[in-house]
Amino acid sequence: MDILTAIQQTPGILQVNEEECPPEYGEHIRLFSLCYQSGDCRVMGYLALPETMEEALPAILFNRGGNREFGALHPRMLCRLAAAGFAAFGSQYRGNCGGTGQEEFGGADVDDVIALTDIALALPFTRHEGIYMLGHSRGGMMTYLCCARDKRIRAAAIGAGLADCFTMYRTPGDSMKQVFHELVGGSPEEKSEAFQARSAVCWPEKIIPPILICQGTDDWRGVLQQAYDMDAALSKANKVHKLIVYPGADHSLKGTSYIDDVITWFQSYPL
């Protein structure tokens, strides 16, 4: 059975198309756009694979940042992870990029990540013992939420991640306040339980897999203190984790060893 047919026949997949890879990955990576089922929603995503696979691959799920169309998943990150030997998956979350339903910024849209995990572990060319998960920015929040629910995550990594929604709401400017009002339903005073449910610093004892936290000191979008607070919370809860701080790095963590550090972290927890 060829790869395209195998993907098409996987439970939960509604539609799959092979796409052109970003030019820097040339002929070494195969890229597929996905439409898959998550509850009552049709959700869009991507899958990237090495062109040559001699054995079943470990799967990694990358959780994008942003919200709605802002920060939409670009397949370049998945191609980079596939070039390192992973079957790399990513979701746009419900309601985005042609999907149905309504994004909830860490609410029911977490189910979209769990559903894609189900698909990743059902494919015949992936290892079935577990999955790795990487989340950047808002995707860090999604990753923490999954790590409190899904025992199949072997290890996880967070890049410039959202760990405290109360703190993010109170950052200068109105952009994050608007996101919380539109997607969560109000302020911390109005939606205290919803904010707490999305803030991993409030429930570190629920985290299951080993966690790597990567954070830059010059992050212009996130809040540096969140990384330190999450590190302290995980330490207090006796959870396996590591914090790496990159001096001078901004929210993107570009120009650092971020992705190499993430891959090394995952390799230290083999399936």
Side-chain angles (χ1 to χ4, degrees):
M1 183 186 301
D2 65 79
I3 290 174
L4 183 59
T5 301
I7 300 170
Q8 290 171 330
Q9 295 182 358
T10 300
I13 291 290
L14 302 176
Q15 185 177 344
V16 56
N17 294 293
E18 188 154 11
E19 307 288 348
E20 185 175 343
C21 281
E24 61 265 38
Y25 293 97
E27 301 176 355
H28 303 293
I29 303 298
R30 294 184 71 178
L31 177 66
F32 303 89
S33 59
L34 308 175
C35 177
Y36 67 96
Q37 194 78 36
S38 176
D40 296 330
C41 299
R42 294 167 59 91
V43 182
M44 313 307 291
Y46 286 105
L47 162 62
L49 297 166
E51 176 67 32
T52 302
M53 294 186 289
E54 298 180 356
E55 57 186 4
L57 300 176
I60 182 171
L61 204 155
F62 173 71
N63 291 322
R64 53 159 280 203
N67 63 89
R68 293 165 286 196
E69 306 299 313
F70 173 72
L73 175 64
H74 191 285
R76 185 171 288 107
M77 173 63 86
L78 302 186
C79 291
R80 181 173 180 180
L81 294 169
F86 295 92
F89 299 78
S91 175
Q92 299 286 18
Y93 314 134
R94 61 186 58 192
N96 301 325
C97 304
T100 62
Q102 174 62 51
E103 179 183 350
E104 296 182 5
F105 203 70
D109 43 13
V110 177
D111 293 339
D112 305 340
V113 181
I114 301 295
L116 190 54
T117 299
D118 295 339
I119 290 169
L121 294 177
L123 287 162
F125 48 79
T126 60
R127 299 278 297 271
H128 294 164
E129 305 96 311
I131 193 169
Y132 299 105
M133 191 170 288
L134 166 63
H136 196 92
S137 190
R138 171 268 179 89
M141 173 183 65
M142 304 295 279
T143 301
Y144 282 130
L145 287 162
C146 289
C147 287
R149 289 176 50 180
D150 199 331
K151 295 180 180 179
R152 299 172 298 176
I153 302 172
R154 181 69 185 94
I158 311 291
L162 172 54
D164 185 342
C165 291
F166 296 93
T167 295
M168 282 304 299
Y169 183 88
R170 297 184 178 102
T171 55
D174 295 326
S175 60
M176 285 307 303
K177 292 180 176 64
Q178 183 176 356
V179 169
F180 283 113
H181 279 276
E182 293 176 353
L183 299 183
V184 179
S187 68
E189 292 73 27
E190 296 166 323
K191 295 289 183 177
S192 178
E193 289 186 6
F195 273 71
Q196 182 169 335
R198 290 163 169 79
S199 300
V201 292
C202 297
W203 33 262
E205 71 282 352
K206 295 183 180 180
I207 297 296
I208 301 168
I211 299 280
L212 173 67
I213 303 171
C214 300
Q215 178 65 51
T217 60
D218 291 353
D219 191 335
W220 49 270
R221 186 178 296 279
V223 178
L224 173 61
Q225 191 60 41
Q226 289 186 73
Y228 293 124
D229 290 346
M230 194 63 199
D231 175 52
L234 290 170
S235 293
K236 187 175 181 180
N238 294 314
K239 296 296 180 176
V240 178
H241 72 288
K242 179 180 180 180
L243 170 65
I244 299 177
V245 176
Y246 304 99
D250 64 15
H251 190 64
S252 71
L253 299 181
K254 289 181 179 178
T256 72
S257 57
Y258 167 43
I259 298 301
D260 290 337
D261 292 335
V262 167
I263 292 171
T264 298
W265 178 254
F266 291 154
Q267 290 171 341
S268 67
Y269 293 95
L271 296 174

